[in-house]
Structures are given as C-alpha cells and as structure tokens.
Amino acid sequence: MKKYLLKRVLYMVLTLFLVATITFFLMKLMPGTPYSNQEKMTPQQIKIMNQQYGLDKPIWMQYVIYIFGMVHGDLGTSFQFSNQPVSYLISSRIGASAQLGVQAMLFGVILGIIVGSVAAIYRNTWVDTTATVLSIIGKSVPNFVLAVLLQYYISLKLGWFPIADWEGFSYTILPTIALGVGPLAETARFIRTGMVDVLNSDYIELARAKGMNKFGIIYHHALRNSLIPLVTLIGPYTVALMTGSMVIENIFSIPGIGEQYVKSIQTNDYPTIMGVTMLFCFGLVLIILITDIIYGIIDPRIRLTGNED
Amino acid sequence: MAEEKYNLQPDSFEPLGHDQEQEIESEKIAAPSLTFSQDAWRRLKKNKGAVISLFIILIMVIVSFGSTPFINHSELVKSNPEYANLPAKVPGIDINGLNGKMKVGGEWTDVYKENGIKDSVHFTLGTDYLGHSLAQRIIYGTKISLTVAIVATLFDLLIGVSYGIVSGWKGGRTDNVMQRIIEIISSIPNLIIVVLMLIVFKPGMTSIILALAISEWTTMARMIRAETLSLKTEEYVLAARTLGESTGKIAWKHLVPNVSSIIIIQTMYTIPSAIFFEAFLSFIGIGISAPQTSLGVLLNDGQKNFQFLPYQMWYPAIVLVILMIAFNLLGDGLRDAFDPRTRR
C-alpha cells in the first residue's frame, strides 16, 4: 500500500510537471501578444512592459522562474487585470466553482442512484422504459443547450429562480441542474445495469427466500454492491463538470474559474491560462488518486499493489 | 466384452428408399451458418431503437453531404438584410409558428407581410439575423459538425488501434512505458488539451479535428491493448507465428478482425462525444467561428436572440440532440449486438 501510494504520488508530480512544461512552451509558441493596444505603444513602452512581466529574459530562464514560482504557489501576474497575481484571481473565484461542482455532483449522483435503482427494481415495465428514455435524452442534450432553455423558461418566463449572477442559494439551483443532468443520466444507467446484475445473483435469491422484504433487499444487499463501481466514475464526472463549468458559468454569469478561463483564452492572458490549466490538472489528478484509494478500501477484491497494472 | 464375431455380409445392409429421404432432410442444418458479423447484424436488427437511429443517421449524412452541390459556402456568407430574422414559413401549413407568424409583443403577427416580402418567398425554418435561410445553414452546419466528428474519430481510431496493438503485442518494457504514457495523457483533462491546441493553432476545423484526435484516443488504445494481450496467447496466433508469418500480417489478419467489435462500438461512442465537443467549443467562441457554420456556431448565434427569436436556437438544438440521441442509441445497440453478454 505504501509503495503503491508513493508510486502514484510520483506519477502525479511527473504528470503535473509535464503539463506545466508543455503548457509553458505552447504559450510561448502562441501567436499574438498579450498587449491589446500594442500598435499604439512605442518600442520603449513595450520594452518596459516586457521587463515588468519578465518577458525580456531568455525563454529557458522564464521557464525556470515559472516552475520555481509554481512550486511556491506563485502563478505569475495576470495580463488582463494588471498587477493582480493569478493565484489571487483563482482563489477569489474558486469558491463559486467548487460549490457549483460539488452541488452538481451530489445532485447528479444521488438522483441518479434513485432513478437507476427504481428502474432496476421495476425492470421491463414502463417505469424502466421511462427512466431509460430520460437518461438517453439527458446524456444527449448538451448542458449548455439545457442551461439556456432552463434560464429562459424557468427564470424568465416562470420567474421561479433568478436569471443569472451568484448571490445566494437560489442562484445556484438552475446552474446545478444544468451541470448535474449529465452525471445524473450516466449514474442512472450505470446503477441500473449493475443492480440488474446484482439482483440476479444467488445471495439476493437467498435473502428473498428468507422472507426479507423488497426494500430491505435493495438497501442492504443490492444497492451497496452496485454502488462500489460508481466510485470509478467520479474521475470522469469531474472532467465533465470542469468542462461544463466553462460554459455554464458563462451563461449564468457566475464568477467562477470556468468563466475566468474562457475570458483569459479570449484575451490571450497566458499566465491565467497556465494557472487555471494547472489547477484543473491538479484537481483531476488528485481526485483520481483519491478515488483509486477509496476503491481499494471499500472493495477488498481490488488489491493496491505496487506492480499491478 | 464377449468376443462375438458378426458375420456381416454386404447384403445385410439395405440402402434407404426414396421415401425416406425426407427424414434425412430433417437432419440437415437448415439455416446457413452465420459469421460473427452476420450474427451481430441480425441481433442489431431486432433492436428497434438502434435501427431507427441508424436510419436517422443515414438520412442526416445523406442530406447534409448530398447538399454540397446545392448549398455552397460563398452563398451562405452573403447577407440579405431585407430577409433578416424571419420566422419559419411552410407553404400550405397554417399552424402559428410555421406560417410566417411570430409572437411580437404577445400577439401573433405575420412578419412576412409586415416586412413587405413577396408571397412567393418563404423560408422553411426561417432566417437568421443576416437573412440567411436557417434550413440551409443547419444542413451545412450539420455537414461541418459531422465531418469534424467523423474525421476526428478516424484519426482517433488509427492512433488508438495501432498504439494498443503495438503495446499489447510487444509486451514487457515497451508495454510498460507505453502504458505509463497513456496514464499521464489521460490524467490531463481532454478539455485542456483541446483548449491548448486551439490557442496555439488558429481556431478552425483542422485544429479542432487535431485536438479531438489527440485527446480522445487513449480509451481506444487501452481497450485494444487489453484485448490484444489475451488474443496473443490464442492458438491460431501461435500457429501463424510458427509458420513464420510476419508480425504486421498477424496484426492485420488475426488481431484487427478480432478486435473489430471493440473498434466499432468505441467509434460509435467517440463520434457523439466529438460532436458535443465541437458544439461546445464553437458555443463558447473558441472553436469554429463566424463566417463558417457548424451546429455549435448556430447555437451560439441563436442563443444571443433566444428571448425574442427562440426558433433560431430551437431548430439547431433539435438537430443536434437528435443526432446525439441517434448515435448514443446506435452505440448501445451495437454493444448489445456484438457482445450479447452485456445485454439486459
């Protein structure tokens, strides 16, 4: 276990280092300059600006400075908001994104478990068919389309929730739904398949023979066993939520990381792009590591060894 | 056993008469033996959803690619301000919303009449803010979206399959290194790969295709590798090796056909995800942009005016969703058809 952990952490660091390096050099290859009004600037001004941002140094030195800074939590200074450190930009915005992400994950997974279990219990009835059709639709409707529709019909027409912005719990509901529908559909399908499998196994038959009631069986035997593989989906869900946050936060004008990312891409704000890229990567790598460890703990059949493949 | 000797003479046997031939007939295997793919096809045909999806996809592909001689891009870029923002009008249909009427200030008004447009002019799905026919743009956009998705998937297939086969076949240290590389690549969110690629190359079809191809192949490679590992030990592969068949030929003649079901299923799941990614990128404005058209661009355009001209977003959204549903259902159908064990 210890050896396994050490190995994984080592890979994590290696991955992050590689991503940082690739991002850095890609940013250097990027066409265009970060100064939006360069035509109006004198060469003198450009020189001063370059000095200020450390762009006058040779590339390898910039690279060393960048990696060194990152190890110490310094992600450079944003070009877009002058003199704001990227780490400050990120830390002031991460709260909203994290809250949205966690809410969407909980909403999707919990509701998905319920829908999937109900579909499995009543399999091959209209309940099952409805659940299957809904989860196919949920999987197929892009979250940004759903977000626009929800925003228009629920907020604007019906006026149930605020249209946009981020000022309290009621503001979070629609974005949460829009983001969470994807994981919901996926979870429901996953749980249903797993549950049908489990419900056909011998120990369920035994429990039934002993006279255990339906919901007892579901709760004590079926659900627990079909929940375990769900842990492996948390990684992919995180990716989906990160991707989704870029567009959902834009639509609902939520001051989060995703919105910032899109903005910095559109304005060539390299330090912020690099910072957010590293943040996303770090988040994903960490979550994959955690879920792998949890999976090993709750399912003893999977051994965490140093040389498993 | 008693050592009895039967004295069998040739005339102890009697040939069967003609009337008994029918009995022999019944012993025959009536149905022709099915190959693996025929069997899968037969199972797929039983799945109504998958068959309908297959038809929808075929129709969409034929219409969008067949439209090439009729809808060309230069015409779609021209703006016709006099026809801007007209709602749908289908001659002969008198349902509000499809007869050139639109809700303006809560009342259905005939926008065509108000703008003084001749009776002979009608747009089946209305027009956008520059006066382009929305129907034409949607067909053209579908073509672009499908092209991006299909080409990206082909690349993904090419890289994934060859990487997986090489990794699984070589084994040992090569495999180990190749697997670590995959591990590293797949722990980078593919969104980030796509975004970085798009920043470096200029946004457009080629860079989206490249970006999608680079970020999506790892799943395919992993599955193919796992299958290759188990196929490697099969007798027929061993026989081929013993006979001195070259590695390339073994891969092509024995491995690829045997992993074809995985390839097909995985492809069917990659296409909708590529369609989604293209739409997503164009929607946030870093994918395909303005004069070009794709479903994502149309959604982005439509979303700006959604409050007043909802049809401009609804139509492309419906097309996109139908396309996604069809690919997802077909993917599920193919998975069940090729691997009946997973069927429930």
Side-chain angles (χ1 to χ4, degrees):
Chain A
M1 181 76 182
K2 232 179 214 163
K3 197 178 157 204
Y4 171 78
L5 260 183
L6 198 74
K7 199 177 160 190
R8 286 297 303 268
V9 172
L10 214 72
Y11 272 120
M12 218 175 113
V13 174
L14 182 66
T15 308
L16 290 175
F17 175 71
L18 272 178
V19 174
T21 310
I22 294 169
T23 324
F24 179 84
F25 286 105
L26 281 181
M27 291 298 127
K28 291 296 151 196
L29 282 177
M30 222 159 97
T33 69
Y35 314 125
S36 53
N37 48 353
Q38 189 166 24
E39 299 85 54
K40 291 185 216 142
M41 287 157 71
T42 62
Q44 198 70 33
Q45 277 174 315
I46 292 179
K47 211 172 157 191
I48 293 170
M49 292 284 271
N50 277 345
Q51 250 167 22
Q52 194 189 338
Y53 290 113
L55 294 175
D56 56 335
K57 297 190 181 76
I59 287 196
W60 67 268
M61 217 160 139
Q62 290 182 34
Y63 174 66
V64 172
I65 292 173
Y66 171 67
I67 295 286
F68 242 81
M70 203 166 58
V71 173
H72 295 100
D74 173 17
L75 296 168
T77 314
S78 163
F79 290 157
Q80 190 190 355
F81 306 99
S82 44
N83 297 326
Q84 272 209 40
V86 174
S87 43
Y88 172 75
L89 262 181
I90 288 177
S91 60
S92 64
R93 284 168 165 266
I94 200 165
S97 289
Q99 188 192 348
L100 182 60
V102 170
Q103 273 180 216
M105 182 91 89
L106 288 179
F107 165 79
V109 170
I110 292 174
L111 213 60
I113 291 173
I114 296 172
V115 173
S117 319
V118 171
I121 298 167
Y122 299 102
R123 68 173 174 282
N124 300 331
T125 64
W126 64 269
V127 182
D128 184 17
T129 317
T130 320
T132 309
V133 170
L134 283 183
S135 59
I136 285 276
I137 293 176
K139 202 180 161 209
S140 305
V141 178
N143 47 18
F144 50 91
V145 173
L146 186 69
V148 174
L149 297 183
L150 284 176
Q151 191 180 36
Y152 180 69
Y153 290 101
I154 308 269
S155 296
L156 198 70
K157 284 268 172 143
L158 297 174
W160 290 358
F161 298 109
I163 294 169
D165 224 342
W166 191 256
E167 271 153 30
F169 183 68
S170 62
Y171 289 83
T172 69
I173 292 173
L174 287 186
T176 303
I177 294 175
L179 258 184
V181 164
L184 193 163
E186 199 66 46
T187 312
R189 278 158 62 95
F190 194 78
I191 290 286
R192 182 192 172 274
T193 328
M195 195 88 123
V196 168
D197 235 14
V198 174
L199 284 177
N200 286 331
S201 53
D202 292 342
Y203 60 88
I204 299 286
E205 204 66 26
L206 176 69
R208 209 175 280 149
K210 283 196 305 189
M212 203 168 178
N213 72 9
K214 208 173 187 175
F215 291 96
I217 293 177
I218 294 294
Y219 180 72
H220 284 290
H221 296 295
L223 193 58
R224 289 188 181 190
N225 277 307
S226 39
L227 278 186
I228 292 171
L230 194 62
V231 175
T232 55
L233 284 183
I234 292 178
Y237 286 175
T238 312
V239 179
L241 292 180
M242 284 173 179
T243 315
S245 74
M246 285 173 70
V247 63
I248 301 293
E249 287 179 5
N250 253 315
I251 292 173
F252 290 99
S253 46
I254 298 165
I257 303 280
E259 196 228 3
Q260 177 62 50
Y261 199 41
V262 177
K263 231 188 258 165
S264 37
I265 291 167
Q266 285 161 347
T267 53
N268 279 1
D269 186 355
Y270 319 144
T272 315
I273 298 177
M274 289 195 275
V276 178
T277 301
M278 290 313 296
L279 179 77
F280 277 172
C281 265
F282 182 72
L284 181 66
V285 174
L286 196 67
I287 281 175
I288 292 178
L289 178 66
I290 293 172
T291 50
D292 279 358
I293 293 172
I294 292 177
Y295 197 46
I297 293 171
I298 57 178
D299 192 346
R301 283 172 300 179
I302 290 150
R303 273 191 318 152
L304 298 180
T305 52
N307 47 5
E308 55 128 28
D309 197 12
Chain B
M1 275 283 194
E3 298 253 328
E4 258 182 86
K5 272 191 183 166
Y6 291 104
N7 197 6
L8 292 175
Q9 297 297 324
D11 55 337
S12 319
F13 298 99
E14 228 177 89
L16 279 171
H18 257 297
D19 51 325
Q20 274 158 320
E21 213 160 72
Q22 268 183 336
E23 259 173 59
I24 302 170
E25 201 79 15
S26 71
E27 295 286 304
K28 270 186 186 164
I29 299 165
S33 68
L34 292 171
T35 63
F36 178 59
S37 53
Q38 282 169 330
D39 196 31
W41 172 238
R42 213 182 51 172
R43 249 171 288 161
L44 183 70
K45 272 194 291 190
K46 280 188 196 144
N47 184 337
K48 266 183 237 150
V51 173
I52 295 171
S53 303
L54 184 61
F55 269 108
I56 290 176
I57 292 169
L58 280 181
I59 289 171
M60 284 207 175
V61 168
I62 290 170
V63 169
S64 60
F65 285 95
S67 71
T68 313
F70 308 106
I71 303 168
N72 56 41
H73 186 243
S74 56
E75 215 171 287
L76 274 182
V77 190
K78 254 186 260 157
S79 59
N80 314 302
E82 70 271 27
Y83 294 146
N85 290 334
L86 293 173
K89 183 179 181 182
V90 187
I93 294 184
D94 197 30
I95 305 166
N96 281 343
L98 287 177
N99 55 358
K101 285 185 182 165
M102 192 166 59
K103 255 194 176 153
V104 181
E107 255 177 62
W108 290 98
T109 20
D110 195 332
V111 187
Y112 282 73
K113 214 178 266 170
E114 263 188 13
N115 290 8
I117 289 162
K118 275 178 275 170
D119 270 351
S120 57
V121 177
H122 54 83
F123 293 96
T124 318
L125 292 181
T127 58
D128 67 358
Y129 69 107
L130 288 174
H132 306 137
S133 158
L134 201 55
Q136 281 186 14
R137 280 197 83 190
I138 288 176
I139 292 174
Y140 191 83
T142 312
K143 183 171 87 175
I144 298 294
S145 291
L146 279 174
T147 314
V148 168
I150 291 170
V151 176
T153 307
L154 282 181
F155 270 115
D156 155 74
L157 197 152
L158 209 68
I159 304 174
V161 171
S162 34
Y163 195 98
I165 286 186
V166 169
S167 179
W169 182 261
K170 291 269 179 189
R173 179 169 286 175
T174 322
D175 182 38
N176 213 344
V177 171
M178 287 175 98
Q179 284 320 105
R180 293 298 89 77
I181 294 174
I182 286 198
E183 232 162 69
I184 290 174
I185 292 180
S186 56
S187 57
I188 307 169
N190 50 5
L191 160 81
I192 284 182
I193 302 180
V194 173
V195 166
L196 290 181
M197 299 290 294
L198 288 180
I199 294 173
V200 176
F201 305 114
K202 71 179 190 316
M205 250 173 92
T206 334
S207 27
I208 290 198
I209 290 175
L210 267 179
L212 285 174
I214 289 175
S215 61
E216 298 244 336
W217 59 273
T218 49
T219 327
M220 178 79 94
R222 272 191 173 149
M223 295 175 97
I224 299 288
R225 170 188 169 265
E227 198 63 24
T228 309
L229 276 182
S230 71
L231 286 176
K232 204 165 70 168
T233 57
E234 293 283 335
E235 274 93 356
Y236 54 85
V237 176
L238 188 66
R241 277 169 105 169
T242 320
L243 289 172
E245 197 80 281
S246 71
T247 320
K249 219 165 182 186
I250 294 178
W252 185 245
K253 285 186 99 174
H254 296 295
L255 299 181
V256 171
N258 278 302
V259 293
S260 59
S261 58
I262 299 181
I263 297 178
I264 293 172
I265 296 165
Q266 195 53 35
T267 307
M268 279 301 147
Y269 285 127
T270 311
I271 291 178
S273 114
I275 293 177
F276 167 78
F277 245 108
E278 183 280 314
F280 169 81
L281 293 169
S282 308
F283 187 83
I284 57 176
I286 55 176
I288 291 170
S289 53
Q292 269 287 0
T293 300
S294 77
L295 288 176
V297 174
L298 288 169
L299 286 171
N300 189 12
D301 284 352
Q303 174 241 352
K304 290 171 191 155
N305 282 329
F306 189 65
Q307 198 177 338
F308 307 106
L309 305 159
Y311 69 94
Q312 284 184 2
M313 176 158 169
W314 267 114
Y315 295 138
I318 289 170
V319 173
L320 179 65
V321 169
I322 289 178
L323 205 57
M324 298 277 287
I325 292 180
F327 271 112
N328 278 328
L329 279 180
L330 184 61
D332 286 352
L334 282 170
R335 186 197 54 203
D336 295 344
F338 278 116
D339 192 0
R341 278 166 304 165
T342 61
R343 179 162 212 169
R344 304 212 154 94

